[in-house]
mmCIF file of all heavy atoms in Angstrom:
data_model
loop_
_atom_site.group_PDB
_atom_site.id
_atom_site.type_symbol
_atom_site.label_atom_id
_atom_site.label_comp_id
_atom_site.label_asym_id
_atom_site.label_seq_id
_atom_site.Cartn_x
_atom_site.Cartn_y
_atom_site.Cartn_z
ATOM 1 N N GLY M 114 -12.005 -11.251 -5.708
ATOM 2 C CA GLY M 114 -12.239 -12.195 -4.641
ATOM 3 C C GLY M 114 -13.255 -13.316 -4.851
ATOM 4 O O GLY M 114 -13.050 -14.436 -4.478
ATOM 5 N N GLY M 115 -14.270 -12.977 -5.754
ATOM 6 C CA GLY M 115 -15.201 -14.036 -6.036
ATOM 7 C C GLY M 115 -14.480 -15.251 -6.881
ATOM 8 O O GLY M 115 -14.784 -16.314 -6.647
ATOM 9 N N ILE M 116 -13.576 -14.935 -7.833
ATOM 10 C CA ILE M 116 -12.972 -15.784 -8.493
ATOM 11 C C ILE M 116 -11.926 -16.548 -7.707
ATOM 12 O O ILE M 116 -11.823 -17.819 -7.782
ATOM 13 C CB ILE M 116 -12.036 -15.196 -9.700
ATOM 14 C CG1 ILE M 116 -13.129 -14.452 -10.704
ATOM 15 C CG2 ILE M 116 -11.260 -16.162 -10.440
ATOM 16 C CD1 ILE M 116 -12.421 -13.708 -11.788
ATOM 17 N N VAL M 117 -11.301 -15.839 -6.845
ATOM 18 C CA VAL M 117 -10.273 -16.511 -5.876
ATOM 19 C C VAL M 117 -10.943 -17.471 -4.947
ATOM 20 O O VAL M 117 -10.560 -18.639 -4.748
ATOM 21 C CB VAL M 117 -9.528 -15.488 -5.051
ATOM 22 C CG1 VAL M 117 -8.771 -16.211 -3.862
ATOM 23 C CG2 VAL M 117 -8.535 -14.754 -5.937
ATOM 24 N N THR M 118 -12.115 -17.088 -4.474
ATOM 25 C CA THR M 118 -12.881 -17.973 -3.398
ATOM 26 C C THR M 118 -13.744 -18.990 -4.165
ATOM 27 O O THR M 118 -13.869 -20.101 -3.813
ATOM 28 C CB THR M 118 -13.611 -17.106 -2.559
ATOM 29 O OG1 THR M 118 -14.652 -16.325 -3.311
ATOM 30 C CG2 THR M 118 -12.792 -16.213 -1.641
ATOM 31 N N GLY M 119 -14.383 -18.498 -5.318
ATOM 32 C CA GLY M 119 -15.295 -19.477 -5.960
ATOM 33 C C GLY M 119 -14.695 -20.599 -6.636
ATOM 34 O O GLY M 119 -15.208 -21.608 -6.615
ATOM 35 N N PHE M 120 -13.573 -20.285 -7.365
ATOM 36 C CA PHE M 120 -12.968 -21.345 -8.149
ATOM 37 C C PHE M 120 -11.699 -21.928 -7.408
ATOM 38 O O PHE M 120 -10.934 -22.733 -8.138
ATOM 39 C CB PHE M 120 -12.602 -20.727 -9.476
ATOM 40 C CG PHE M 120 -13.650 -20.283 -10.393
ATOM 41 C CD1 PHE M 120 -14.209 -19.071 -10.351
ATOM 42 C CD2 PHE M 120 -14.420 -21.306 -11.104
ATOM 43 C CE1 PHE M 120 -15.323 -18.711 -11.049
ATOM 44 C CE2 PHE M 120 -15.592 -20.923 -11.820
ATOM 45 C CZ PHE M 120 -16.110 -19.657 -11.779
ATOM 46 N N ARG M 121 -11.319 -21.298 -6.256
ATOM 47 C CA ARG M 121 -10.198 -21.709 -5.503
ATOM 48 C C ARG M 121 -8.830 -21.621 -6.428
ATOM 49 O O ARG M 121 -8.066 -22.546 -6.389
ATOM 50 C CB ARG M 121 -10.309 -23.298 -5.059
ATOM 51 C CG ARG M 121 -11.481 -23.402 -4.130
ATOM 52 C CD ARG M 121 -11.616 -24.822 -3.677
ATOM 53 N NE ARG M 121 -12.859 -25.039 -2.911
ATOM 54 C CZ ARG M 121 -12.866 -24.862 -1.531
ATOM 55 N NH1 ARG M 121 -11.749 -24.470 -0.958
ATOM 56 N NH2 ARG M 121 -14.004 -25.115 -0.922
ATOM 57 N N LEU M 122 -8.750 -20.618 -7.024
ATOM 58 C CA LEU M 122 -7.566 -20.252 -7.770
ATOM 59 C C LEU M 122 -6.516 -19.527 -7.118
ATOM 60 O O LEU M 122 -6.901 -18.656 -6.067
ATOM 61 C CB LEU M 122 -7.953 -19.541 -9.115
ATOM 62 C CG LEU M 122 -8.808 -20.252 -10.141
ATOM 63 C CD1 LEU M 122 -9.152 -19.381 -11.294
ATOM 64 C CD2 LEU M 122 -8.188 -21.551 -10.515
ATOM 65 N N PRO M 123 -5.325 -19.529 -7.266
ATOM 66 C CA PRO M 123 -4.243 -18.919 -6.638
ATOM 67 C C PRO M 123 -4.396 -17.359 -6.871
ATOM 68 O O PRO M 123 -4.620 -16.946 -8.025
ATOM 69 C CB PRO M 123 -3.015 -19.357 -7.257
ATOM 70 C CG PRO M 123 -3.221 -20.640 -7.862
ATOM 71 C CD PRO M 123 -4.605 -20.658 -8.278
ATOM 72 N N PRO M 124 -4.351 -16.597 -5.834
ATOM 73 C CA PRO M 124 -4.442 -15.135 -5.976
ATOM 74 C C PRO M 124 -3.498 -14.488 -6.944
ATOM 75 O O PRO M 124 -3.751 -13.574 -7.627
ATOM 76 C CB PRO M 124 -4.368 -14.592 -4.455
ATOM 77 C CG PRO M 124 -4.712 -15.696 -3.710
ATOM 78 C CD PRO M 124 -4.344 -16.909 -4.301
ATOM 79 N N PHE M 125 -2.355 -15.084 -6.953
ATOM 80 C CA PHE M 125 -1.240 -14.675 -7.768
ATOM 81 C C PHE M 125 -1.703 -14.643 -9.265
ATOM 82 O O PHE M 125 -1.509 -13.685 -9.990
ATOM 83 C CB PHE M 125 0.024 -15.447 -7.750
ATOM 84 C CG PHE M 125 1.084 -14.976 -8.517
ATOM 85 C CD1 PHE M 125 2.077 -14.052 -8.133
ATOM 86 C CD2 PHE M 125 1.420 -15.619 -9.844
ATOM 87 C CE1 PHE M 125 3.197 -13.536 -8.902
ATOM 88 C CE2 PHE M 125 2.386 -15.057 -10.552
ATOM 89 C CZ PHE M 125 3.253 -14.161 -10.147
ATOM 90 N N ILE M 126 -2.213 -15.726 -9.690
ATOM 91 C CA ILE M 126 -2.664 -15.967 -11.078
ATOM 92 C C ILE M 126 -3.945 -15.068 -11.376
ATOM 93 O O ILE M 126 -4.055 -14.482 -12.392
ATOM 94 C CB ILE M 126 -3.071 -17.503 -11.232
ATOM 95 C CG1 ILE M 126 -1.834 -18.240 -11.015
ATOM 96 C CG2 ILE M 126 -3.523 -17.671 -12.750
ATOM 97 C CD1 ILE M 126 -0.660 -17.997 -11.928
ATOM 98 N N VAL M 127 -4.789 -15.051 -10.366
ATOM 99 C CA VAL M 127 -6.075 -14.178 -10.638
ATOM 100 C C VAL M 127 -5.748 -12.761 -10.795
ATOM 101 O O VAL M 127 -6.193 -12.111 -11.720
ATOM 102 C CB VAL M 127 -7.109 -14.454 -9.549
ATOM 103 C CG1 VAL M 127 -8.260 -13.617 -9.665
ATOM 104 C CG2 VAL M 127 -7.609 -15.934 -9.471
ATOM 105 N N THR M 128 -4.923 -12.222 -9.943
ATOM 106 C CA THR M 128 -4.584 -10.742 -9.931
ATOM 107 C C THR M 128 -3.597 -10.417 -11.100
ATOM 108 O O THR M 128 -3.757 -9.296 -11.569
ATOM 109 C CB THR M 128 -4.049 -10.367 -8.663
ATOM 110 O OG1 THR M 128 -2.858 -11.098 -8.285
ATOM 111 C CG2 THR M 128 -5.041 -10.575 -7.519
ATOM 112 N N LEU M 129 -2.838 -11.545 -11.532
ATOM 113 C CA LEU M 129 -1.981 -11.228 -12.606
ATOM 114 C C LEU M 129 -2.986 -11.039 -13.950
ATOM 115 O O LEU M 129 -2.761 -10.204 -14.780
ATOM 116 C CB LEU M 129 -1.080 -12.290 -12.900
ATOM 117 C CG LEU M 129 -0.112 -12.270 -14.075
ATOM 118 C CD1 LEU M 129 0.783 -11.064 -14.087
ATOM 119 C CD2 LEU M 129 0.705 -13.612 -14.159
ATOM 120 N N GLY M 130 -3.984 -11.936 -14.021
ATOM 121 C CA GLY M 130 -4.895 -11.821 -15.102
ATOM 122 C C GLY M 130 -5.631 -10.539 -15.041
ATOM 123 O O GLY M 130 -5.905 -9.868 -16.006
ATOM 124 N N MET M 131 -6.059 -10.150 -13.780
ATOM 125 C CA MET M 131 -6.831 -8.906 -13.576
ATOM 126 C C MET M 131 -5.870 -7.698 -13.975
ATOM 127 O O MET M 131 -6.489 -6.718 -14.535
ATOM 128 C CB MET M 131 -7.268 -8.835 -12.207
ATOM 129 C CG MET M 131 -8.374 -7.732 -11.936
ATOM 130 S SD MET M 131 -9.844 -8.097 -12.892
ATOM 131 C CE MET M 131 -10.622 -9.452 -12.049
ATOM 132 N N LEU M 132 -4.643 -7.752 -13.681
ATOM 133 C CA LEU M 132 -3.817 -6.633 -14.141
ATOM 134 C C LEU M 132 -3.757 -6.468 -15.609
ATOM 135 O O LEU M 132 -3.948 -5.401 -16.034
ATOM 136 C CB LEU M 132 -2.329 -7.068 -13.438
ATOM 137 C CG LEU M 132 -1.171 -6.157 -14.102
ATOM 138 C CD1 LEU M 132 -1.327 -4.660 -13.721
ATOM 139 C CD2 LEU M 132 0.149 -6.757 -13.586
ATOM 140 N N THR M 133 -3.740 -7.584 -16.199
ATOM 141 C CA THR M 133 -3.644 -7.412 -17.734
ATOM 142 C C THR M 133 -4.957 -6.862 -18.273
ATOM 143 O O THR M 133 -5.037 -5.958 -19.039
ATOM 144 C CB THR M 133 -3.435 -8.857 -18.418
ATOM 145 O OG1 THR M 133 -2.124 -9.344 -17.764
ATOM 146 C CG2 THR M 133 -3.312 -8.709 -19.848
ATOM 147 N N ILE M 134 -6.128 -7.337 -17.743
ATOM 148 C CA ILE M 134 -7.424 -7.028 -18.217
ATOM 149 C C ILE M 134 -7.645 -5.444 -17.880
ATOM 150 O O ILE M 134 -8.036 -4.763 -18.694
ATOM 151 C CB ILE M 134 -8.582 -7.828 -17.495
ATOM 152 C CG1 ILE M 134 -8.415 -9.261 -17.960
ATOM 153 C CG2 ILE M 134 -9.864 -7.213 -17.797
ATOM 154 C CD1 ILE M 134 -9.311 -10.274 -17.149
ATOM 155 N N VAL M 135 -7.369 -5.051 -16.590
ATOM 156 C CA VAL M 135 -7.778 -3.682 -16.245
ATOM 157 C C VAL M 135 -6.834 -2.692 -16.980
ATOM 158 O O VAL M 135 -7.206 -1.605 -17.339
ATOM 159 C CB VAL M 135 -7.669 -3.563 -14.762
ATOM 160 C CG1 VAL M 135 -7.840 -2.023 -14.253
ATOM 161 C CG2 VAL M 135 -8.605 -4.421 -13.965
ATOM 162 N N THR M 136 -5.499 -3.042 -17.088
ATOM 163 C CA THR M 136 -4.632 -2.145 -17.928
ATOM 164 C C THR M 136 -5.156 -1.965 -19.249
ATOM 165 O O THR M 136 -5.111 -0.785 -19.807
ATOM 166 C CB THR M 136 -3.216 -2.770 -17.830
ATOM 167 O OG1 THR M 136 -2.761 -2.951 -16.474
ATOM 168 C CG2 THR M 136 -2.258 -1.962 -18.563
ATOM 169 N N ALA M 137 -5.441 -3.097 -19.874
ATOM 170 C CA ALA M 137 -5.997 -2.958 -21.328
ATOM 171 C C ALA M 137 -7.343 -2.206 -21.437
ATOM 172 O O ALA M 137 -7.400 -1.276 -22.282
ATOM 173 C CB ALA M 137 -6.207 -4.380 -21.856
ATOM 174 N N VAL M 138 -8.144 -2.424 -20.531
ATOM 175 C CA VAL M 138 -9.469 -1.701 -20.404
ATOM 176 C C VAL M 138 -9.162 -0.244 -20.240
ATOM 177 O O VAL M 138 -9.891 0.644 -20.922
ATOM 178 C CB VAL M 138 -10.426 -2.240 -19.352
ATOM 179 C CG1 VAL M 138 -11.588 -1.320 -19.219
ATOM 180 C CG2 VAL M 138 -10.789 -3.679 -19.809
ATOM 181 N N SER M 139 -8.252 0.034 -19.344
ATOM 182 C CA SER M 139 -8.004 1.480 -19.086
ATOM 183 C C SER M 139 -7.404 2.183 -20.431
ATOM 184 O O SER M 139 -7.756 3.319 -20.741
ATOM 185 C CB SER M 139 -6.890 1.652 -18.053
ATOM 186 O OG SER M 139 -7.454 1.202 -16.701
ATOM 187 N N ARG M 140 -6.631 1.453 -21.060
ATOM 188 C CA ARG M 140 -5.938 2.090 -22.374
ATOM 189 C C ARG M 140 -7.087 2.160 -23.366
ATOM 190 O O ARG M 140 -7.004 3.213 -24.147
ATOM 191 C CB ARG M 140 -4.808 1.284 -22.928
ATOM 192 C CG ARG M 140 -3.626 1.413 -21.762
ATOM 193 C CD ARG M 140 -2.417 0.590 -22.249
ATOM 194 N NE ARG M 140 -1.394 0.812 -21.283
ATOM 195 C CZ ARG M 140 -0.190 0.119 -21.206
ATOM 196 N NH1 ARG M 140 -0.085 -0.920 -22.057
ATOM 197 N NH2 ARG M 140 0.658 0.415 -20.273
ATOM 198 N N ILE M 141 -7.963 1.267 -23.600
ATOM 199 C CA ILE M 141 -9.095 1.320 -24.559
ATOM 200 C C ILE M 141 -9.956 2.543 -24.133
ATOM 201 O O ILE M 141 -10.404 3.276 -25.063
ATOM 202 C CB ILE M 141 -9.881 -0.011 -24.632
ATOM 203 C CG1 ILE M 141 -9.015 -1.055 -25.170
ATOM 204 C CG2 ILE M 141 -11.099 0.186 -25.455
ATOM 205 C CD1 ILE M 141 -9.479 -2.503 -24.965
ATOM 206 N N TYR M 142 -10.337 2.609 -22.820
ATOM 207 C CA TYR M 142 -11.256 3.701 -22.350
ATOM 208 C C TYR M 142 -10.565 4.988 -22.561
ATOM 209 O O TYR M 142 -11.357 5.992 -22.815
ATOM 210 C CB TYR M 142 -11.482 3.307 -20.809
ATOM 211 C CG TYR M 142 -12.490 4.295 -20.216
ATOM 212 C CD1 TYR M 142 -13.850 4.381 -20.622
ATOM 213 C CD2 TYR M 142 -12.165 5.162 -19.142
ATOM 214 C CE1 TYR M 142 -14.736 5.170 -20.008
ATOM 215 C CE2 TYR M 142 -13.055 5.999 -18.520
ATOM 216 C CZ TYR M 142 -14.264 5.961 -19.019
ATOM 217 O OH TYR M 142 -15.254 6.894 -18.418
ATOM 218 N N ALA M 143 -9.250 5.083 -22.506
ATOM 219 C CA ALA M 143 -8.763 6.368 -22.458
ATOM 220 C C ALA M 143 -8.286 6.697 -23.963
ATOM 221 O O ALA M 143 -8.076 8.011 -24.299
ATOM 222 C CB ALA M 143 -7.425 6.472 -21.548
ATOM 223 N N SER M 144 -8.167 5.786 -24.833
ATOM 224 C CA SER M 144 -7.920 5.911 -26.221
ATOM 225 C C SER M 144 -6.547 6.654 -26.370
ATOM 226 O O SER M 144 -6.348 7.518 -27.170
ATOM 227 C CB SER M 144 -8.960 6.748 -26.898
ATOM 228 O OG SER M 144 -10.128 6.193 -27.029
ATOM 229 N N GLY M 145 -5.693 6.309 -25.335
ATOM 230 C CA GLY M 145 -4.381 6.913 -25.455
ATOM 231 C C GLY M 145 -4.095 8.331 -24.901
ATOM 232 O O GLY M 145 -3.163 8.988 -25.110
ATOM 233 N N GLN M 146 -5.215 8.862 -24.461
ATOM 234 C CA GLN M 146 -5.227 10.152 -23.895
ATOM 235 C C GLN M 146 -5.069 10.344 -22.454
ATOM 236 O O GLN M 146 -5.392 9.233 -21.627
ATOM 237 C CB GLN M 146 -6.436 10.961 -24.374
ATOM 238 C CG GLN M 146 -6.692 11.012 -25.894
ATOM 239 C CD GLN M 146 -7.993 11.653 -26.186
ATOM 240 O OE1 GLN M 146 -8.370 12.783 -25.632
ATOM 241 N NE2 GLN M 146 -8.806 11.093 -27.077
ATOM 242 N N SER M 147 -4.607 11.419 -21.952
ATOM 243 C CA SER M 147 -4.821 11.749 -20.463
ATOM 244 C C SER M 147 -5.850 12.891 -20.306
ATOM 245 O O SER M 147 -6.132 13.612 -21.230
ATOM 246 C CB SER M 147 -3.443 12.160 -19.948
ATOM 247 O OG SER M 147 -2.970 13.338 -20.618
ATOM 248 N N PHE M 148 -6.328 12.940 -19.116
ATOM 249 C CA PHE M 148 -7.433 13.846 -18.875
ATOM 250 C C PHE M 148 -7.190 14.728 -17.645
ATOM 251 O O PHE M 148 -6.978 14.303 -16.583
ATOM 252 C CB PHE M 148 -8.692 12.936 -18.522
ATOM 253 C CG PHE M 148 -9.066 12.066 -19.710
ATOM 254 C CD1 PHE M 148 -8.529 10.755 -19.727
ATOM 255 C CD2 PHE M 148 -9.812 12.491 -20.748
ATOM 256 C CE1 PHE M 148 -8.884 9.992 -20.647
ATOM 257 C CE2 PHE M 148 -9.955 11.618 -21.752
ATOM 258 C CZ PHE M 148 -9.677 10.304 -21.814
ATOM 259 N N PRO M 149 -7.144 16.109 -17.949
ATOM 260 C CA PRO M 149 -6.823 17.065 -16.917
ATOM 261 C C PRO M 149 -8.070 17.096 -15.927
ATOM 262 O O PRO M 149 -9.151 17.035 -16.430
ATOM 263 C CB PRO M 149 -6.512 18.360 -17.639
ATOM 264 C CG PRO M 149 -7.219 18.191 -18.890
ATOM 265 C CD PRO M 149 -7.125 16.770 -19.197
ATOM 266 N N VAL M 150 -7.649 17.274 -14.609
ATOM 267 C CA VAL M 150 -8.843 17.469 -13.647
ATOM 268 C C VAL M 150 -8.823 18.780 -13.176
ATOM 269 O O VAL M 150 -7.898 19.478 -12.722
ATOM 270 C CB VAL M 150 -8.590 16.449 -12.488
ATOM 271 C CG1 VAL M 150 -9.520 16.703 -11.351
ATOM 272 C CG2 VAL M 150 -8.560 15.028 -12.986
ATOM 273 N N ASP M 151 -10.071 19.522 -13.316
ATOM 274 C CA ASP M 151 -10.256 20.728 -12.740
ATOM 275 C C ASP M 151 -11.607 20.889 -11.881
ATOM 276 O O ASP M 151 -12.634 21.389 -12.426
ATOM 277 C CB ASP M 151 -10.427 21.847 -13.969
ATOM 278 C CG ASP M 151 -10.534 23.219 -13.434
ATOM 279 O OD1 ASP M 151 -10.232 23.520 -12.232
ATOM 280 O OD2 ASP M 151 -10.943 24.028 -14.187
ATOM 281 N N ASP M 152 -11.462 20.138 -10.774
ATOM 282 C CA ASP M 152 -12.713 20.016 -9.941
ATOM 283 C C ASP M 152 -12.201 20.110 -8.502
ATOM 284 O O ASP M 152 -11.263 19.397 -8.116
ATOM 285 C CB ASP M 152 -13.386 18.672 -10.210
ATOM 286 C CG ASP M 152 -14.584 18.492 -9.354
ATOM 287 O OD1 ASP M 152 -14.471 18.167 -8.156
ATOM 288 O OD2 ASP M 152 -15.749 18.868 -9.859
ATOM 289 N N ASP M 153 -12.766 20.995 -7.749
ATOM 290 C CA ASP M 153 -12.423 21.236 -6.318
ATOM 291 C C ASP M 153 -12.458 19.979 -5.494
ATOM 292 O O ASP M 153 -11.630 19.704 -4.694
ATOM 293 C CB ASP M 153 -13.252 22.363 -5.720
ATOM 294 C CG ASP M 153 -12.913 23.651 -6.304
ATOM 295 O OD1 ASP M 153 -11.781 23.666 -7.046
ATOM 296 O OD2 ASP M 153 -13.769 24.655 -6.161
ATOM 297 N N THR M 154 -13.519 19.190 -5.704
ATOM 298 C CA THR M 154 -13.611 18.016 -4.857
ATOM 299 C C THR M 154 -12.518 16.961 -5.247
ATOM 300 O O THR M 154 -11.873 16.372 -4.283
ATOM 301 C CB THR M 154 -15.062 17.214 -5.095
ATOM 302 O OG1 THR M 154 -16.081 18.226 -4.880
ATOM 303 C CG2 THR M 154 -15.225 16.049 -4.279
ATOM 304 N N LEU M 155 -12.317 16.779 -6.441
ATOM 305 C CA LEU M 155 -11.245 15.681 -6.842
ATOM 306 C C LEU M 155 -9.841 16.220 -6.444
ATOM 307 O O LEU M 155 -9.038 15.452 -6.248
ATOM 308 C CB LEU M 155 -11.342 15.490 -8.436
ATOM 309 C CG LEU M 155 -12.669 14.948 -8.873
ATOM 310 C CD1 LEU M 155 -12.612 14.593 -10.396
ATOM 311 C CD2 LEU M 155 -13.096 13.779 -8.062
ATOM 312 N N GLY M 156 -9.586 17.548 -6.453
ATOM 313 C CA GLY M 156 -8.235 18.136 -6.055
ATOM 314 C C GLY M 156 -8.129 18.460 -4.697
ATOM 315 O O GLY M 156 -7.122 18.769 -4.149
ATOM 316 N N PHE M 157 -9.185 18.189 -3.873
ATOM 317 C CA PHE M 157 -9.131 18.551 -2.489
ATOM 318 C C PHE M 157 -8.033 17.943 -1.535
ATOM 319 O O PHE M 157 -7.293 18.660 -0.877
ATOM 320 C CB PHE M 157 -10.562 18.156 -1.777
ATOM 321 C CG PHE M 157 -10.584 18.323 -0.309
ATOM 322 C CD1 PHE M 157 -10.729 19.584 0.178
ATOM 323 C CD2 PHE M 157 -10.353 17.334 0.568
ATOM 324 C CE1 PHE M 157 -10.763 19.813 1.585
ATOM 325 C CE2 PHE M 157 -10.481 17.460 1.909
ATOM 326 C CZ PHE M 157 -10.629 18.853 2.438
ATOM 327 N N LEU M 158 -7.793 16.675 -1.795
ATOM 328 C CA LEU M 158 -6.829 16.038 -1.012
ATOM 329 C C LEU M 158 -5.336 16.488 -1.281
ATOM 330 O O LEU M 158 -4.404 16.298 -0.505
ATOM 331 C CB LEU M 158 -6.816 14.464 -1.209
ATOM 332 C CG LEU M 158 -8.047 13.791 -0.759
ATOM 333 C CD1 LEU M 158 -7.948 12.288 -0.939
ATOM 334 C CD2 LEU M 158 -8.315 14.219 0.670
ATOM 335 N N GLY M 159 -5.077 17.153 -2.479
ATOM 336 C CA GLY M 159 -3.754 17.662 -2.671
ATOM 337 C C GLY M 159 -3.618 19.113 -2.719
ATOM 338 O O GLY M 159 -2.576 19.595 -2.318
ATOM 339 N N GLN M 160 -4.635 19.772 -3.080
ATOM 340 C CA GLN M 160 -4.532 21.322 -3.167
ATOM 341 C C GLN M 160 -4.699 21.983 -1.852
ATOM 342 O O GLN M 160 -4.177 22.964 -1.644
ATOM 343 C CB GLN M 160 -5.528 21.762 -4.219
ATOM 344 C CG GLN M 160 -5.200 21.348 -5.621
ATOM 345 C CD GLN M 160 -6.369 21.605 -6.557
ATOM 346 O OE1 GLN M 160 -7.200 22.288 -6.307
ATOM 347 N NE2 GLN M 160 -6.110 21.224 -7.804
ATOM 348 N N LYS M 161 -5.463 21.391 -0.904
ATOM 349 C CA LYS M 161 -5.840 22.041 0.302
ATOM 350 C C LYS M 161 -4.690 21.772 1.300
ATOM 351 O O LYS M 161 -4.654 20.606 1.773
ATOM 352 C CB LYS M 161 -7.226 21.622 0.815
ATOM 353 C CG LYS M 161 -8.359 21.781 0.000
ATOM 354 C CD LYS M 161 -8.608 23.347 -0.240
ATOM 355 C CE LYS M 161 -9.779 23.580 -1.100
ATOM 356 N NZ LYS M 161 -10.079 24.981 -1.380
#
Side-chain angles (χ1 to χ4, degrees):
I116 296 174
V117 169
T118 58
F120 296 94
R121 298 179 184 275
L122 295 178
F125 180 89
I126 300 300
V127 176
T128 58
L129 179 61
M131 194 59 73
L132 166 65
T133 305
I134 294 169
V135 175
T136 300
V138 169
S139 293
R140 291 176 178 172
I141 293 170
Y142 184 62
S144 301
Q146 302 178 42
S147 60
F148 302 92
V150 173
D151 184 18
D152 182 277
D153 291 340
T154 301
L155 300 185
F157 173 76
L158 294 182
Q160 296 174 358
K161 302 294 183 181

